[in-house]
Each structure stands twice: as structure tokens, then as C-alpha cells.
Amino acid sequence: MFNHLLRGAALGAALAGGALADSHGIALYGEPALPADYAHLPHVNPDAPKGGRFADGQVGSFDSLNPHILAGRVPWQLRFIAYESLLGRSYDEPFTLYGVLAEAVEVDEDATAITFTLNPDARFSDGTPITVDDVIWSWNILGQEGANGRYRSAFDRVTAVEPVGERGVRFEIDAPDRELLMTLGLRPIMKKAQWEGREEAFFKSGTTEWPIASAPYEITDVDAGRYVELSRDEDYWGADLPFRRGTDNVDTIRMEFFGDATAHFEAFKAGELTTMRETNAAKWARDYDFPAVQRGDVVLSEIPHQRPSGMTGLVMNTRRAPFDDWRVRQALIEAFNFEYINGVLNDGANPRITSYFSNSPLGMEAGPASGRVAELLEPYADQLLPGTLEGYELPASAGEASDRGGLRRATKLLEEAGYTIGDGGRLRDPDGAVVTFEILLSQGSSEVQSVVDIYTEALERIGIEPTVATADSAQYKERLTDYDFDMTWYSWGLSLSPGTEQRLYWGADGVETPGSRNMMGTDDPVIEAMVDAMLQSETREDYLAAVKALDRVLTAGRYVIPAWHNPISYIAHDADFRFREDRLPIYGDWIGFQPDVWWFAEE
């Protein structure tokens, strides 16, 4: 069942032609920035002292330690700190990978195959060597039903997985796609012997069976729903790898869970947590003058970044009426008084998200599409929504509580779509039914609740009386997995190197397949075409044009009512918890920056 892609024979001499030379790393375009003999990543402190206890907090709960399956709620950090992959990502480059479990990587010239050579020193935490069988088993198990969609999306495109000698493994794919080949090096490698013969247990794993992995940290203490603790493995096999020097500096990582945001913040103020990430500029200015800050025990750091804004806001489920009509979606966007809401909640400090890749070189440009972007979109002109080619901008208000202009525009759009105001001032659809829908929120999201409270008041003025429902983290996750919602608050983090994950985010397979991130239910062949163009780009210029074109199609699709983003990350932290302020990675404080490259001062 789990080896249907394995031919079972090594390639040997078949690899002699048509391949690039072994390399210490691989970049999406061009060559890796670091040479083969690099000493360490540029944004780390190679002399950072080891020691200390890092305590992180988050709102919610958990009932599983397996981040690779759909079932259960998992501390999200485990995906990055409890497992290793063949390659590791440098967050100081758009998309470049360097060797971790693999000491070398080789890509065929036609970008249809990649070969990894395992480091002979690679070991699991129990001291057993990592083998090609572990790599192949890990690939196969994550292609089965029950695995997270982030892994399954690539499964159908890989046509063969086979051993190459004692330490090599080769993946072949159905069409040239360098980015897909690279992502194969980022999949977690698990110990086959832990699960073989009882794979059903892998998909049901809760908190009682801990993973045997190869990462610098291993789980050492768990209280289900309350905390997970990991300890640095003193015998970690890869401590001297260039990719690991200056990283993984703390001895203990503890992830604490809280019932709501207030309890989380109070725990930080009391010194129970090491860091606190603030996303609200008004709170950052108002609420971070407590005694520990005044004493200098807590430091307030503002860390800039160059990554895309991503998309955060109220997503509309187009699988359901009335959200399947773009005019209704635009009307709901018009009714959202961003400037007023931003003023109330953020003192107007946070800029609005203007597109999915805004705040980066990948974002669509204002005004009509031109150049290569226009060339990509024009063949689909008759399928594009208004604004895609011509240019699309979000509405703006004067920031007052009542945005009459926005409500008038919303009403006009609804009338064009066949909606009318009936008895009692209620909006009715073209069939005469009263229009209502549910806004689903996660329990404990007080800031989002404030946004929705203001928004629903505006909706009532155009005849819509939505209901607002809150669900605990387990129910919320289940409903999102099954797309069982009308409108909800959601966030997509996007990188400077979008690739095959875009299919998982917006691809047609996600309309019905549970567990994708296509929350809005997009089923648009133009989106598929732009993703294809992006993945098949042979030059950096073509790649940028394809992403900008994709950004236009998504934004003009009017699937989300965008909120705000932070071009600067606000992090309050223990004064002894340090990072290299003189050399920040281009991704700022994103995944891969905290806590692994931070350290505690020796004093």
C-alpha cells in the first residue's frame, strides 16, 4: 500500500548523463548565495552561547503531536522544530535550500528529477541511522488519505521514487518543475520502524506516543491541552553542520496554551513567557508600558521585513450563495469601512492589505496590466472579472463611523444582482428569500470579534442581519477543514517564493477535497493557468510577471474582505533573549528566526 511508487532498483549508471553536478544547495533561480564551504547562515551568531529556557504562549489547545495529519489540533511549531528534512531553508534568500539530512542534491537538466544523497552521519534521536528506506516510507505515508493536504498535493505528480545506491534517493515528476523538486527536500523524514505495520496508528496519533525524529530538539514533557516541552538533544548528530551553527541555542522550548488572549498577555506580563508577538499597533503603543518594561527586564523590538503581506480578513465561501456572485462580494467589500475600523482598533496605524502579495516586489502594480503581465492575462480576457486587466483598488472612506458612500455603492451593486429591499427593510435575493448568513469565528479572538461587531452594524444598514457564531478550536478546525461556513476570518501567509503550494491555496481540487487552504472555494481556470505559468517560468522576469498576474486575478476575484498587515513585527521579549540586530534576514522574524537563531545572554 505504501510503496506503490518504489521500483526497487537503483539507477546506477543511468544517472551518468543529463544531470547537474552534486551541490551543497539549490536555488529556485540562479545559484545559492552561500558557497559550498560556507561556515554558517549570515543572520546567525555563530558564537551564540547555549542554554536557557524559552517559553512561548498561544491561545487554544491541542490533542495531537502529529503535525502531518488532518486529525487533531497540533502545536504548529512542532512541524518546524520536532522534525528534520533533507534540506533546510535559508530565510535570507527568496527560496534557497541547503543540505541538512542530505549532504548533496542533484537536479536533472530538464527539471524532471532530483536526487538526494544522505549524510552518512545522520541519526535519529535514538541513535539509529537514517536510511533511504526512512525517506521513501515518509514520502509514501504522507500521500495517503488522512495526511495533511500540504503533502498530498504533490503526490500525484511524482511518478517514481527509487533508491540510488546505499545513500541516494531519486524522485521523478511528470513535467518540468524545479520548484516542486525543491519542495520535495522539505518534507519531514520520519522513522519507518516506529510506525511500519501499524500505519493506522500514525493517522490517529494523539499525545501518548511521541515521535522518534532527528531534529535538534525532542519532546520530553507533555500535558495534553496545556503545554508541550522540548529539550535540546545533547547528542544531536548535526550540531556541527554549517546550516546549524549558531542555531538551536536554547536548552528548553516550552509551548504554553491559554484559554484567551487576555490570559496569554497577563502570563507574559508576569514573566511566565519569554516573548510576546503583538499584531495591533495601537496595543503596542498603549499596553506595553508595564513594570517589567519600565525596569528593563522586557525589551520592545520592532523588526522590519520584506515579505509579502499575505491575505488576512473575512473570507467568503463561494461554494454557497450569495457569495457565488462577484457583485455581492464587491458589495460586502464596499460595506466594510476599513478606515473607521482601523482607526478604532489600531489608531489608524496599520496599512491595509491591498493585494495578496502587497508589500513586496511580487505585488501587482496599480493601474492597467502592462508588459508581460498583460500578455499572460489577455488570452483570458473574456473570463476575467472587472478590474483584473484595468486595475482594481479597494474602496476607501473618510474614516467616519457612517460611510454613506460605501453603503450606496453596495446597495447599487446588490440591485444590479437582482436583490431588493423587502418588508421590514430586509434584503431579499432574486427569489424573494431573506438574505442572511453566518460569520464563524474562533473562540477567544477578541480583536476579530470587535471587527465583526462594527461590520455587522454596517450590514444591517443595507438590510443584512448576519448571525455571528463562535466555536472552540476543535470545532473551528473541523468546520474549516470541511468548508462548513459562510464567512470566516482567515489568514494566508505568503512568501517571496510562491510555488506549488499555490495549488493548495487556490486550486480547483480544494473546492471539494477537505483540508486544503482554498477556503473561498475558487474554481477558476485562469488562476490555474497563472500558477502553471509561474511554475514553468524559465527566467526570474517571467516568474515575477506570472506572480503579479496571479495577484491580479486573486485580488479582483473579491474573495476576501482584506484587513491590515504589519510591515514591521512587534516583539516584546526577555531582555536577556537576543538576536542579531545588525543582520536581519529578508524574511524578518518569520518562521526560522525565533527561537532557533536567538540566544540567551550568558549573564
Side-chain angles (χ1 to χ4, degrees):
M1 173 181 178
F2 295 101
N3 293 298
H4 69 282
L5 291 175
L6 177 59
R7 293 179 189 164
L11 289 184
L15 294 177
L20 301 179
D22 282 356
S23 175
H24 67 295
I26 179 174
L28 185 59
Y29 289 100
E31 298 297 323
L34 302 178
D37 61 349
Y38 78 100
H40 56 80
L41 295 173
H43 55 281
V44 308
N45 173 9
D47 301 316
K50 305 292 185 182
R53 175 181 179 274
F54 171 81
D56 175 61
Q58 53 195 291
V59 175
S61 185
F62 69 95
D63 56 15
S64 174
L65 300 176
N66 189 343
H68 312 308
I69 60 176
L70 290 174
R73 297 161 291 159
V74 186
W76 67 267
Q77 298 97 323
L78 291 183
R79 177 182 161 203
F80 301 98
I81 60 178
Y83 296 86
E84 277 191 315
S85 50
L86 296 167
L87 305 177
R89 183 169 186 173
S90 169
Y91 285 96
D92 196 48
E93 301 174 57
F95 191 29
T96 298
L97 308 180
Y98 295 95
V100 182
L101 292 176
E103 66 175 1
V105 57
E106 181 182 274
V107 178
D108 280 20
E109 289 181 351
D110 63 358
T112 60
I114 189 167
T115 302
F116 303 97
T117 302
L118 286 174
N119 190 311
D121 297 327
R123 296 288 187 275
F124 288 110
S125 60
D126 63 357
T128 58
I130 296 173
T131 68
V132 169
D133 282 348
D134 293 311
V135 176
I136 295 175
W137 183 90
S138 298
W139 161 261
N140 280 305
I141 193 73
L142 294 181
Q144 309 307 313
E145 185 175 354
N148 192 289
R150 75 172 69 94
Y151 304 115
R152 296 188 67 197
S153 60
F155 202 69
D156 290 340
R157 295 202 53 202
V158 173
T159 57
V161 181
E162 52 203 6
V164 180
E166 184 179 350
R167 294 189 289 116
V169 59
R170 175 182 171 92
F171 293 80
E172 298 179 4
I173 59 176
D174 57 0
D177 191 335
R178 185 177 178 86
E179 195 271 346
L180 173 59
L181 294 176
M182 291 177 67
T183 62
L184 297 178
L186 293 175
R187 297 171 75 93
I189 304 304
M190 296 166 286
K191 186 177 175 65
K192 175 182 177 181
Q194 183 178 12
W195 302 105
E196 188 179 25
R198 56 189 194 94
E199 283 82 2
E200 68 283 351
F202 175 83
F203 292 107
K204 297 179 181 178
S205 55
T207 59
T208 55
E209 185 165 9
W210 301 351
I212 299 172
S214 64
Y217 292 91
E218 51 186 337
I219 297 172
T220 51
D221 193 11
V222 176
D223 188 342
R226 294 184 56 202
Y227 67 82
V228 178
E229 191 165 281
L230 299 95
S231 299
R232 185 161 53 84
D233 183 358
E234 295 293 341
D235 297 320
Y236 170 57
W237 74 273
D240 294 326
L241 290 175
F243 190 81
R244 293 298 190 196
R245 288 184 191 133
T247 72
D248 312 306
N249 300 311
V250 302
D251 285 342
T252 305
I253 298 174
R254 185 180 176 97
M255 292 170 279
E256 298 271 5
F257 289 77
F258 299 90
D260 56 49
T262 299
H264 180 196
F265 187 49
E266 291 301 318
F268 174 69
K269 289 167 60 178
E272 298 173 16
L273 304 176
T274 307
T275 64
M276 184 77 187
R277 182 184 304 274
E278 182 55 66
T279 59
N280 185 293
K283 289 182 179 179
W284 182 251
R286 182 188 67 223
D287 297 344
Y288 285 79
D289 192 31
F290 47 87
V293 175
Q294 297 169 359
R295 292 193 305 267
D297 296 336
V298 168
V299 172
L300 307 182
S301 292
E302 299 185 358
I303 302 175
H305 64 80
Q306 302 171 45
R307 61 183 183 265
S309 62
M311 181 55 69
T312 298
L314 290 166
V315 58
M316 295 170 271
N317 190 350
T318 64
R319 301 171 184 85
R320 302 178 175 185
F323 309 110
D324 54 349
D325 188 325
W326 73 267
R327 294 167 296 184
V328 174
R329 300 197 298 272
Q330 180 64 34
L332 295 175
I333 292 172
E334 296 282 358
F336 188 85
N337 190 347
F338 172 80
E339 286 70 25
Y340 175 70
I341 293 173
N342 192 33
V344 170
L345 299 181
N346 303 317
D347 290 340
N350 288 358
R352 190 172 197 182
I353 296 170
T354 55
S355 75
Y356 291 70
F357 290 93
S358 61
N359 192 56
S360 82
L362 303 176
M364 69 179 195
E365 296 165 352
S370 61
R372 181 65 178 137
V373 175
E375 291 175 7
L376 288 167
L377 293 173
E378 282 168 353
Y380 306 94
D382 60 346
Q383 302 175 53
L384 299 174
L385 292 184
T388 309
L389 280 169
E390 308 90 330
Y392 176 81
E393 292 184 7
L394 292 166
S397 75
E400 299 176 355
S402 178
D403 178 22
R404 292 189 178 90
L407 297 180
R408 281 196 298 268
R409 292 191 298 271
T411 299
K412 181 179 179 182
L413 282 162
L414 291 168
E415 289 175 351
E416 292 175 2
Y419 290 74
T420 58
I421 299 295
D423 296 339
R426 300 295 300 277
L427 185 69
R428 295 182 178 273
D429 66 20
D431 296 326
V434 171
V435 175
T436 187
F437 54 84
E438 180 187 80
I439 302 176
L440 175 66
L441 303 179
S442 178
Q443 199 171 56
S445 51
S446 57
E447 183 177 70
V448 175
Q449 183 70 60
S450 298
V451 172
V452 170
D453 286 345
I454 298 173
Y455 184 45
T456 54
E457 290 180 9
L459 292 178
E460 290 171 2
R461 295 174 190 164
I462 58 174
I464 302 174
E465 295 183 12
T467 59
V468 180
T470 58
D472 63 32
S473 56
Q475 294 172 326
Y476 184 73
K477 180 179 184 294
E478 181 179 358
R479 290 189 61 178
L480 262 59
T481 297
D482 295 334
Y483 314 121
D484 181 21
F485 65 91
D486 297 326
M487 176 185 285
T488 192
W489 187 269
Y490 197 74
S491 182
W492 292 264
L494 299 175
S495 77
L496 288 165
S497 59
T500 54
E501 81 286 347
Q502 300 300 299
R503 297 192 193 281
L504 180 65
Y505 290 3
W506 337 111
D509 288 347
V511 175
E512 296 183 359
T513 304
S516 81
R517 298 192 68 187
N518 186 355
M519 294 298 158
M520 61 277 284
T522 58
D523 187 3
D524 186 346
V526 184
I527 291 177
E528 301 276 355
M530 295 306 105
V531 173
D532 286 342
M534 176 185 69
L535 297 177
Q536 295 166 12
S537 298
E538 295 183 358
T539 67
R540 177 70 175 168
E541 291 71 25
D542 282 349
Y543 177 78
L544 290 173
V547 179
K548 290 181 179 183
L550 173 65
D551 198 24
R552 280 180 173 265
V553 179
L554 289 170
T555 304
R558 301 154 168 92
Y559 301 113
V560 181
I561 304 172
W564 52 81
H565 72 102
N566 290 316
I568 294 176
S569 296
Y570 304 120
I571 300 180
H573 57 92
D574 186 311
D576 290 331
F577 198 44
R578 311 284 176 81
F579 64 95
R580 278 195 62 179
E581 298 182 55
D582 65 319
R583 184 58 174 83
L584 296 174
I586 60 174
Y587 279 92
D589 66 305
W590 213 28
I591 297 165
F593 186 60
Q594 181 191 342
D596 65 333
V597 303
W598 292 53
W599 69 90
F600 282 100
E602 289 182 300
E603 62 269 20

